[in-house]
């Protein structure tokens, strides 16, 4: 399967293009997630571009579009979607024992959260395409690690929040919480046929809380038969410790000496080395630009410079190109030109590679 086919069938949802929302959807609520999962990302139509040289407002379609642009297919995104597609295809009809979970690991700024969201969007699109629309179905839940995880009470709250379950004695007072929401959450997940849970920011779990956190996830998995995808820097070590090290003292002697890189599939998001893969990524950004005076391959000619500026981090490259695109659109009334130049890129600060 080619990269393009994989992205089309498993990474882009099933809905037609819709208008960009005024505010980005909150992925940790069902409404926000459904909006993000169903929206087919697309550049604004040429007919919607403001005439060249006219002053644009803060919500100009091209300014909004260039704040995010389209997910560029990095090696990590392509490989991660392929591995996730295979795993979820098997897990979907698996009935004996817990489903095999997945891990997304890598340095900050390498596209881990993008991969996580694209996996969820793809799976939700696959279910909708296969089974048809159903307003009562919730195939995917997306949460981030909450600030407190000391008990089931705290761990159940992000699930309850996503599902819209009231967990306060007084809805107007968000600090007055009820008891553990695990059973109501599990009941709704079973009724809604939830099969995939995305957990971002797993690296925020304190060392002392790892055992309790993963015991909770396993207990919830036993009630629902979902697949978890754990995402965060250092996720491999965190999950390994939770699944293996904490039980080492209870293992038979024959296996106590064994160590594993990971006993779960790991999707790795890494820095992109300079070479063909990097050129392909830069070309992907270039093809998605919506600028009046952009010349084909002018960005590709700056490929080496862009790698030096960003260190091969996809997040830094995205920041650099998106800000430059927005800036040249907004200042075209003064400069008379709408294109990304090295001079403009030199003036954009992104953290990595900035001049003093």
């Amino acid at each position: 399967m080619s990269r393009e086919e994989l992205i089309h069938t498993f990474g882009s949802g099933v809905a037609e293009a819709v208008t960009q929302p005024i505010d980005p959807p909150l992925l940790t609520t069902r409404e926000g997630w459904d909006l993000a999962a169903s929206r087919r990302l697309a550049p604004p139509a040429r007919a919607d571009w403001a005439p060249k040289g006219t002053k644009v407002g803060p919500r100009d379609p091209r300014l909004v579009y260039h704040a995010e642009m389209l997910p560029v297919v990095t090696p990590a995104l392509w490989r991660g979607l392929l591995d996730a597609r295979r795993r979820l295809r098997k897990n979907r009809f698996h009935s004996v024992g817990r489903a095999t979970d997945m891990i997304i690991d890598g340095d900050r700024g390498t596209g881990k959260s993008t991969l996580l969201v694209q996996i969820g969007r793809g799976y939700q699109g696959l279910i909708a395409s296969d089974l048809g629309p159903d307003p009562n179905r919730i195939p995917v839940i997306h949460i981030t690690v909450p600030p407190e995880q000391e008990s089931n009470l705290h761990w159940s709250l992000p699930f309850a929040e996503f599902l819209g379950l009231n967990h306060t004695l007084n809805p107007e007072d968000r600090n007055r919480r009820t008891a553990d929401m695990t059973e109501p959450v599990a009941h709704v997940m079973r009724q809604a046929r939830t099969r995939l849970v995305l957990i971002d920011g797993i690296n925020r779990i304190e060392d002392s809380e790892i055992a309790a956190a993963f015991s909770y996830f396993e207990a919830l998995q036993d009630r629902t038969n979902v697949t978890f995808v754990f995402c965060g820097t250092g996720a491999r070590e965190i999950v390994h410790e939770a699944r293996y090290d904490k039980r080492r003292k209870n293992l038979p002697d024959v296996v106590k000496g064994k160590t594993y890189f990971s006993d779960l599939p790991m999707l790795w998001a890494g820095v992109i080395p300079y070479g063909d893969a990097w050129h392909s990524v830069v070309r992907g950004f270039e093809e998605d630009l919506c600028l009046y005076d952009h010349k084909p391959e002018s960005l590709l000619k700056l490929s080496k410079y862009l790698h030096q500026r960003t260190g091969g981090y996809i997040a830094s490259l995205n920041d650099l190109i998106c800000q430059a695109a927005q800036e040249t659109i907004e200042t075209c009334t003064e400069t008379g030109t709408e294109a990304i130049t090295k001079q403009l890129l030199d003036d954009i600060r992104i953290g990595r590679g900035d001049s003093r």
Side-chain angles (χ1 to χ4, degrees), residues 113-132:
S113 293
T114 296
L115 173 56
L116 182 72
V117 169
Q118 290 301 312
I119 289 172
R121 293 184 73 231
Y123 187 73
Q124 185 149 322
L126 176 67
I127 296 300
S129 177
D130 181 32
L131 302 179

Side-chain angles (χ1 to χ4, degrees), residues 9-22:
T9 58
F10 190 68
S12 59
V14 297
E16 298 299 325
V18 297
T19 304
Q20 177 82 6
I22 294 178

